[in-house]
Amino acid sequence: MKVIPISMTCLLALAGCQTVPDRLPQAEPGPAAACAFPVHQAADSLAAVTRAVDVLEEWGFSLDATDTRLGLVSASRERELVGYYERYDYYSPYGSGFRLFGGMGVGRGSSIGLGVGGRFGAGVGQTPTEVERVSVLVSDAQLRLSRDIRRFDHFGEQREAYSASNDDFCGRFQTAFQQAQGQGGL
């Protein structure tokens, strides 16, 4: 009996185990109720977008994209995460970054093997960062807010990502937006 037909049978049997997801990926959890609120009826969407930009810039965000025709603003800010290392990550400053492995065997002949592995020099001088992105959409006299946070380790690899459209952030944004609206005279 040949090995090739058996391996092909196993491969075909495993290929039949694939399934299609029942829904498209969605942000979990969804945005909080405070992330959608009405804007003043007398205000046009351009004035609301301008106020939203003012609030975001005051909070330290930098604009990534703006489309006043659609009423869309996208902004982000970064901060360093000092001390954000995994305690047992051997590539972090807490670990050695050096690996030594090998083996020895005796049979018809003997051999000794030795190998060295690790990421030497990678991530030196880099700090983990957190990127916070906010999108604001003003349409039909309503403002909708979306926020997500991504964390990257000292190699630049993404370690965490989650939706952060919670009541706290959206409530603070709504208060600051309404205060700016009151100062703007609308």
Side-chain angles (χ1 to χ4, degrees), residues 111-150:
S111 65
I112 297 175
L114 182 66
V116 177
R119 293 189 196 181
F120 297 106
V124 173
Q126 298 175 2
T127 359
T129 56
E130 177 181 86
V131 178
E132 181 179 1
R133 295 185 310 177
V134 174
S135 297
V136 177
L137 177 65
V138 179
S139 67
D140 301 329
Q142 186 176 20
L143 186 140
R144 282 179 261 163
L145 188 65
S146 173
R147 174 179 167 230
D148 68 78
I149 295 178
R150 295 176 296 155

Side-chain angles (χ1 to χ4, degrees), residues 59-70:
W59 286 3
F61 285 90
S62 60
L63 293 179
D64 295 333
T66 304
D67 190 341
T68 54
R69 192 172 34 90
L70 294 175

Side-chain angles (χ1 to χ4, degrees), residues 25-33 35 130-135 145-151 158 160-170:
Q26 297 176 356
E28 301 288 337
C35 293
E130 177 181 86
V131 178
E132 181 179 1
R133 295 185 310 177
V134 174
S135 297
L145 188 65
S146 173
R147 174 179 167 230
D148 68 78
I149 295 178
R150 295 176 296 155
R151 291 186 177 149
Q158 183 173 316
E160 293 180 64
Y162 58 93
S163 173
S165 302
N166 54 22
D167 283 324
D168 177 50
F169 180 82
C170 294

Side-chain angles (χ1 to χ4, degrees), residues 43-184:
D44 61 316
S45 65
L46 181 59
V49 168
T50 304
R51 276 192 295 278
V53 166
D54 291 342
V55 170
L56 289 172
E57 286 180 339
E58 183 179 321
W59 286 3
F61 285 90
S62 60
L63 293 179
D64 295 333
T66 304
D67 190 341
T68 54
R69 192 172 34 90
L70 294 175
L72 181 65
V73 175
S74 178
S76 64
R77 65 180 170 186
E78 287 186 22
R79 70 180 182 109
E80 291 183 353
L81 297 175
V82 179
Y84 182 77
Y85 297 100
E86 292 188 24
R87 180 74 175 145
Y88 299 104
D89 182 5
Y90 290 104
Y91 303 126
S92 76
Y94 299 115
S96 67
F98 180 77
R99 301 279 198 284
L100 184 64
F101 53 90
M104 183 158 74
V106 177
R108 287 188 176 209
S110 64
S111 65
I112 297 175
L114 182 66
V116 177
R119 293 189 196 181
F120 297 106
V124 173
Q126 298 175 2
T127 359
T129 56
E130 177 181 86
V131 178
E132 181 179 1
R133 295 185 310 177
V134 174
S135 297
V136 177
L137 177 65
V138 179
S139 67
D140 301 329
Q142 186 176 20
L143 186 140
R144 282 179 261 163
L145 188 65
S146 173
R147 174 179 167 230
D148 68 78
I149 295 178
R150 295 176 296 155
R151 291 186 177 149
F152 297 91
D153 65 4
H154 53 289
F155 294 120
E157 296 174 2
Q158 183 173 316
R159 290 296 179 120
E160 293 180 64
Y162 58 93
S163 173
S165 302
N166 54 22
D167 283 324
D168 177 50
F169 180 82
C170 294
R172 286 185 293 123
F173 184 87
Q174 184 176 359
T175 302
F177 181 83
Q178 290 170 347
Q179 287 175 351
Q181 185 174 356
Q183 293 171 358

